[in-house]
């Protein structure tokens, strides 16, 4: 059973407070009330609220002071400020002190609902942390994420793992291709056998050949003893060939022979050795293009690509960022002997805005840096790299063609894309588009998109 989010309403105007209570409960929220800032701060210290909605003008303690004291106690609680005396000065003060949003009376309920939903996205990080702990405890797939691309990837891993098929994993640098390879190994019949890795881009051609196939004593200068190669080390297990696209053509022919015949020859030896190895390869290159350019053997490409798995870039799975960030926070806080409770809403906003060209590896590096620099209970935006702090909203689609489109075509395209991302969840699509559900239904009818 899902626990309803708990909102604290702070307002010394009893009728207005009562009206808000009715509206919020109608939206499915739990509600508690305080008639002044002092009471509100005391309640926040006693209970875990998901968000606070406070008036600015109140007796005893005003909303700005209330905001400041709540933030000092727990900066991860989103605080929304509302006032009938809208002014640039008070809005700037509230936002400077960390208010999540600033609303003016009389409240626009559509705006209020949208702002609350966005604020609550951050407090759901605690639930993500619980999910993370359950998954790690239960030793489920090490591939963290709940987005559709990740779910589809995990399903493919679970399908492919028990087979003996060669697998080619593709994806941008930093997406976690080795993690996927290890997930395949851990779910395979070879899970108790060796998992051996080699980076094909890290060694010169002669050294790579020796590393892969081994060498005899005296085979070359410095070969003072026989050495077993990675294929022999991985016998009965799995060999992970990372950055396979960087392998020289001359070695590609020898690798193909191993895959076809199941035999290797040490450098300097004529004696073939039989090996039983499952090969998983990975590359950030488009091997079909490398084949066309003559840099990769076509027959080897087809031999490796029996099963192809593509690891999505982080920008295509933004909803996984809170879960991944929480995992990295726990890992690096423990490594640095720190006790951190999470991220402030502003820090999470910054991470969600950024496009992460370095993908999951860059996210982990950013969180590790933030953990080291953080001296309070929560990671703030200032602890993140400047590139993340200053990021504009991440582009989700190629907008280069929009200049030639009509406004209606652009709107239709945006609605279609959002419905795909939300798996046709119209309430969520309306929230992301910043419109009401009724408005969305009207536009769906207008553009013939009703289903």
């Amino acid at each position: 059973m899902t626990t309803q989010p708990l909102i604290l309403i702070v307002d010394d105007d009893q009728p207005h407070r009562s009206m808000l209570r009715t509206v919020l409960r109608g939206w499915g929220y739990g509600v508690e009330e305080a008639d002044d800032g002092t009471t509100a701060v005391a309640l926040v210290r006693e209970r875990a609220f998901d968000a606070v909605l406070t008036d600015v003008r109140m007796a005893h303690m005003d909303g700005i002071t209330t905001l400041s004291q709540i933030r000092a106690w727990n900066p991860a609680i989103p605080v929304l400020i509302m006032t009938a005396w809208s002014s640039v000065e008070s809005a700037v003060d509230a936002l400077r002190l960390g208010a999540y949003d600033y609303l003016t009376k009389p409240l626009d309920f559509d705006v209020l609902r949208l702002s609350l939903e966005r604020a609550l996205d951050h407090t759901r990080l605690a639930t993500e942390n619980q999910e993370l702990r359950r998954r790690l405890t239960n030793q489920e797939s090490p591939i963290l994420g709940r987005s559709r691309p990740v779910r589809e990837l995990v399903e493919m891993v679970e399908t492919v793992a028990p087979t003996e098929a060669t697998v080619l994993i593709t994806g941008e640098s930093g997406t976690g291709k080795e993690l996927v390879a290890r997930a395949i190994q851990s779910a395979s019949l070879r899970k108790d056998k060796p998992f051996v890795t080699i980076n094909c881009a890290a060694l010169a051609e002669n050294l790579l050949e020796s590393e892969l196939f081994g060498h005899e004593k005296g085979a070359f200068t410095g070969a003072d003893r026989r050495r077993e190669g990675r294929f022999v080390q991985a016998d009965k297990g799995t060999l992970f060939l990372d950055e396979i696209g960087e392998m020289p053509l001359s070695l590609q022919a020898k690798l193909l022979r191993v895959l076809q015949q199941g035999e290797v020859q040490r450098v300097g030896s004529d004696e073939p050795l039989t090996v039983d190895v499952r090969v998983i390869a990975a590359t950030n290159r488009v091997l079909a293009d490398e084949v066309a350019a003559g840099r990769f053997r076509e027959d080897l490409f087809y031999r490796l690509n029996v099963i192809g798995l593509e690891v999505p870039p982080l920008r295509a799975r933004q909803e996984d960022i809170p879960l991944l960030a929480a995992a990295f926070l726990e890992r690096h806080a423990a490594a640095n002997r720190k006790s951190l409770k999470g991220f402030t809403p502003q820090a999470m906003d910054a991470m969600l805005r950024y496009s992460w060209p370095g993908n999951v590896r860059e996210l982990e590096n950013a969180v590790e840096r933030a953990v080291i620099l953080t001296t309070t209970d929560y990671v703030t935006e200032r602890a993140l790299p400047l590139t993340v702090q200053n990021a504009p909203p991440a582009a989700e689609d190629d907008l280069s063609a929009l200049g030639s489109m009509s406004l209606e075509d652009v709107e239709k395209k945006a609605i279609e894309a959002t419905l795909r991302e939300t798996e046709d969840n119209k309430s969520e699509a309306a929230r992301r588009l910043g419109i009401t559900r009724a408005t969305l239904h009207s536009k769906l009818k207008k553009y013939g998109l009703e289903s």
Side-chain angles (χ1 to χ4, degrees):
M1 181 177 178
T2 303
T3 303
Q4 59 183 182
L6 182 61
I7 314 296
L8 176 61
I9 300 173
V10 190
D11 196 335
D12 60 1
D13 182 342
Q14 195 278 328
H16 192 257
R17 200 170 66 240
S18 178
M19 178 269 295
L20 283 174
R21 179 182 66 238
T22 302
V23 170
L24 267 59
R25 284 180 175 170
W27 291 342
Y29 297 131
V31 175
E32 285 206 17
E33 303 172 42
D35 58 7
D36 62 61
T38 304
T39 304
V41 173
L43 285 171
V44 166
R45 288 173 177 266
E46 294 172 2
R47 295 205 54 183
F49 290 96
D50 295 288
V52 176
L53 180 62
T54 181
D55 195 16
V56 166
R57 295 291 183 92
M58 295 183 295
H60 307 304
M61 183 189 290
D62 62 42
I64 300 298
T65 306
T66 303
L67 163 69
S68 180
Q69 293 196 14
I70 290 174
R71 294 272 303 162
W73 172 253
N74 184 352
I77 301 177
V79 179
L80 287 70
I81 296 288
M82 55 184 178
T83 181
W85 289 271
S86 178
S87 70
V88 173
E89 291 79 9
S90 59
V92 169
D93 284 345
L95 297 175
R96 178 176 56 80
L97 289 170
Y100 184 80
D101 205 351
Y102 190 88
L103 309 170
T104 57
K105 295 179 179 178
L107 297 177
D108 181 323
F109 290 142
D110 283 340
V111 173
L112 171 62
R113 186 171 191 172
L114 184 63
S115 184
L116 264 178
E117 288 176 347
R118 286 175 174 167
L120 290 170
D121 282 343
H122 300 288
T123 58
R124 291 188 183 110
L125 184 58
T127 304
E128 301 287 3
N129 271 323
Q130 292 171 5
E131 179 185 344
L132 169 67
R133 292 189 186 97
R134 283 197 302 272
R135 295 183 66 171
L136 294 179
T137 301
N138 296 334
Q139 296 184 321
E140 295 181 19
S141 170
I143 307 170
L144 291 177
R146 62 179 185 181
S147 62
R148 178 188 284 181
V150 169
R151 293 200 309 270
E152 292 174 349
L153 177 62
V154 170
E155 287 174 4
M156 280 293 292
V157 166
E158 291 172 347
T159 301
V160 169
T163 73
E164 290 296 307
T166 303
V167 179
L168 178 63
I169 304 171
T170 58
E172 297 176 8
S173 294
T175 50
K177 295 185 288 295
E178 182 173 343
L179 186 68
V180 174
R182 290 185 180 276
I184 294 172
Q185 157 78 358
S186 65
S188 74
L189 300 177
R190 298 172 181 256
K191 62 183 178 182
D192 298 322
K193 303 300 181 180
F195 180 84
V196 179
T197 71
I198 185 168
N199 186 324
C200 299
L203 298 170
E205 181 175 348
N206 61 328
L207 292 178
L208 180 58
E209 181 178 9
S210 173
E211 282 293 316
L212 281 172
F213 308 124
H215 63 256
E216 294 289 343
K217 181 179 179 179
F220 50 84
T221 302
D224 55 357
R225 59 185 175 85
R226 173 188 282 183
R227 188 179 190 282
E228 303 294 358
R230 301 294 176 93
F231 269 99
V232 172
Q233 294 171 15
D235 191 33
K236 302 297 189 294
T238 304
L239 178 63
F240 176 55
L241 301 173
D242 198 9
E243 300 196 51
I244 188 69
E246 308 294 331
M247 180 176 283
L249 276 168
S250 60
L251 282 187
Q252 291 177 28
K254 296 180 180 180
L255 174 61
L256 179 62
R257 188 163 59 249
V258 176
L259 294 177
Q260 289 174 332
Q261 300 174 3
E263 294 180 344
V264 298
Q265 278 184 221
R266 299 188 190 96
V267 177
S269 172
D270 294 328
E271 179 185 353
L273 301 172
T274 301
V275 290
D276 174 17
V277 175
R278 182 183 192 177
V279 171
I280 301 176
T283 181
N284 58 13
R285 295 192 176 193
V286 180
L287 289 190
D289 292 345
E290 297 298 299
V291 169
R295 292 187 291 266
F296 203 85
R297 293 180 62 106
E298 184 175 25
D299 46 6
L300 178 59
F301 170 57
Y302 289 124
R303 190 78 186 188
L304 291 171
N305 196 35
V306 175
I307 299 292
L309 297 181
E310 183 174 1
V311 185
L314 191 53
R315 63 181 174 276
R317 44 178 297 209
Q318 276 188 304
E319 65 188 277
D320 295 330
I321 288 175
L323 183 59
L324 290 165
F328 298 145
L329 180 72
E330 289 200 351
R331 178 185 303 170
H332 292 293
N336 289 280
R337 297 178 295 282
K338 288 191 171 185
S339 178
L340 301 179
K341 296 179 179 178
F343 300 90
T344 65
Q346 290 75 18
M348 187 57 67
D349 267 338
M351 289 190 289
L352 289 168
R353 285 197 312 269
Y354 187 52
S355 61
W356 301 106
N359 293 295
V360 179
R361 184 184 297 127
E362 184 184 7
L363 173 61
E364 180 168 11
N365 291 342
V367 173
E368 181 180 11
R369 173 188 189 275
V371 166
I372 292 169
L373 296 179
T374 296
T375 57
T376 56
D377 288 341
Y378 290 86
V379 172
T380 67
E381 184 179 3
R382 291 185 179 182
L384 297 170
L386 286 175
T387 51
V388 180
Q389 293 182 41
N390 300 328
E396 296 184 5
D397 287 306
D398 181 5
L399 301 180
S400 59
L402 296 186
S404 61
M405 298 170 64
S406 69
L407 285 175
E408 288 191 347
D409 286 340
V410 172
E411 185 175 61
K412 180 180 179 181
K413 180 181 176 70
I415 291 172
E416 289 175 323
T418 306
L419 286 171
R420 282 196 304 271
E421 292 165 8
T422 60
E423 301 180 31
D424 209 34
N425 183 324
K426 294 182 175 56
S427 295
E428 174 64 12
R431 186 185 72 78
R432 294 191 187 186
L433 291 165
I435 59 178
T436 64
R437 186 181 171 94
T439 300
L440 175 61
H441 278 293
S442 174
K443 292 182 181 297
L444 291 175
K445 185 175 182 180
K446 174 181 177 181
Y447 296 126
L449 299 175
E450 287 183 308
S451 57

